[in-house]
Amino acid sequence: MTNIKSNKSALVVLILGLSTIVFPLYLTIVIAFKQPSEMTNSIDGILSLPKVWSLDNFREAMEITNFWHSLGNSLLITLLTVGLSILLHSLMGYALGRNKAHSKFYSFVYLFIVSGMFVPFAILMMPLAKQTAEMGLANWFGVVLLYMVFYMPMNVLLYSGYLVNIPMALEEAAKVDGASTWRTYWKIIFPIMRPMHATVAVLTALAVWNDVMTPLVIMAGSDQNTLPLAQLNFQSQFGTNYNLAFASYLLSLIPILIFYIICQKQILNGVVNGAVK
């Protein structure tokens, strides 16, 4: 009886959790295909299906946002950030994770880097905007550099935690065979951390892909719009064109959703193992 009750409770919680995802997604899809004339202030007008399923909203949204140009900028920034994060942050996590237990210096550096998670972006926003402009980094390259710093604390924390699950015997055996520390890392440790690479890639990609503030502050006034920045065109002081905005949201959702589906098999294993300290 206890197992039956627990299963029912779990099912109820699962249904409630699923509804929080399905309902907003349903609204997004329905509104994206509707015409403005079909939108009313009543609940039925919002929840009802479109009278005609047309792609006109999507075509107009792509024209307003200069979709392919904005998509290219978003892909460039996201892919560079993810690739550099996996290469550099995993290397930092390895160096700190293997040495912080028996070195006060490495322990201090580790705590210093991880403490960066508690610094809000609002405090750094204006100084960073001024510094990047003076240094000629008010472009996509400057945004990538800032992302590398912003997501370093969390990624180093995850990689360091994941190293606990990798036995030192592998590295000791490699050293006996004459392998250097550098070769041991790239040939043995780096491939073993594949689940954590996938986890870091997805978490970083989601954060970068959906970020508005950093590109808005750093690249303000340039034509290097990312998709989230381009979607601000649907908002004005007089209101928001929800039909076109939601169509644009769906278009921007597709690439990151495909990326998540590809990496999802590795994510759970990476998060669980990375949580072990």
Side-chain angles (χ1 to χ4, degrees):
M1 291 295 294
T2 304
N3 291 334
I4 296 177
K5 291 182 179 180
S6 62
N7 290 336
K8 289 183 178 180
S9 301
L11 181 60
V12 171
V13 173
L14 181 62
I15 293 175
L16 291 176
L18 184 62
S19 64
T20 61
I21 300 175
V22 173
F23 182 69
L25 184 60
Y26 169 79
L27 283 181
T28 303
I29 296 174
V30 167
I31 294 175
F33 280 94
K34 282 186 176 182
Q35 297 302 315
S37 58
E38 299 181 61
M39 299 288 293
T40 64
N41 295 326
S42 64
I43 298 298
D44 293 337
I46 298 176
L47 297 180
S48 61
L49 294 174
K51 296 179 180 178
V52 178
W53 293 85
S54 173
L55 297 177
D56 292 341
N57 288 337
F58 293 90
R59 284 191 287 266
E60 187 173 352
M62 292 178 68
E63 293 177 1
I64 294 176
T65 59
N66 195 2
F67 178 77
W68 296 113
H69 178 71
S70 301
L71 176 64
N73 289 333
S74 290
L75 285 174
L76 176 64
I77 293 174
T78 302
L79 292 177
L80 280 177
T81 303
V82 170
L84 291 174
S85 295
I86 292 175
L87 291 176
L88 300 181
H89 295 167
S90 63
L91 189 60
M92 294 177 62
Y94 172 71
L96 295 174
R98 284 300 192 225
N99 295 284
K100 66 180 180 177
H102 50 79
S103 172
K104 292 183 179 180
F105 173 75
Y106 283 99
S107 178
F108 171 78
V109 173
Y110 172 78
L111 293 175
F112 179 79
I113 292 176
V114 172
S115 64
M117 291 189 296
F118 304 102
V119 180
F121 177 73
I123 296 178
L124 306 174
M125 183 169 58
M126 296 312 297
L128 286 176
K130 183 177 181 180
Q131 289 180 2
T132 52
E134 292 178 351
M135 297 172 64
L137 295 175
N139 48 41
W140 63 265
F141 181 71
V143 173
V144 171
L145 290 180
L146 291 178
Y147 282 146
M148 290 294 298
V149 177
F150 293 158
Y151 304 126
M152 183 192 303
M154 176 59 72
N155 293 343
V156 169
L157 177 69
L158 291 173
Y159 277 119
S160 298
Y162 191 81
L163 281 170
V164 176
N165 302 282
I166 302 177
M168 285 291 298
L170 293 175
E171 298 174 53
E172 294 172 354
K175 290 181 180 179
V176 170
D177 292 337
S180 62
T181 302
W182 185 260
R183 185 177 180 84
T184 300
Y185 173 74
W186 289 112
K187 294 296 183 179
I188 299 177
I189 304 301
F190 189 81
I192 292 177
M193 291 196 296
R194 185 178 300 174
M196 185 51 65
H197 296 328
T199 302
V200 168
V202 171
L203 294 178
T204 304
L206 284 173
V208 172
W209 189 265
N210 296 317
D211 184 39
V212 177
M213 288 304 300
T214 305
L216 179 62
V217 171
I218 304 303
M219 299 193 303
S222 67
D223 61 344
Q224 297 177 333
N225 282 341
T226 59
L227 280 177
L229 282 184
Q231 290 167 354
L232 295 178
N233 292 326
F234 301 114
Q235 299 179 3
S236 67
Q237 61 179 344
F238 302 106
T240 301
N241 191 327
Y242 290 103
N243 303 96
L244 297 183
F246 278 49
S248 179
Y249 298 157
L250 283 179
L251 289 173
S252 64
L253 175 66
I254 295 174
I256 199 67
L257 181 61
I258 295 174
F259 179 69
Y260 176 80
I261 293 174
I262 294 174
C263 299
Q264 66 174 338
K265 293 182 180 179
Q266 303 288 341
I267 295 174
L268 183 59
N269 186 27
V271 171
V272 172
N273 291 332
V276 179
K277 302 281 177 65

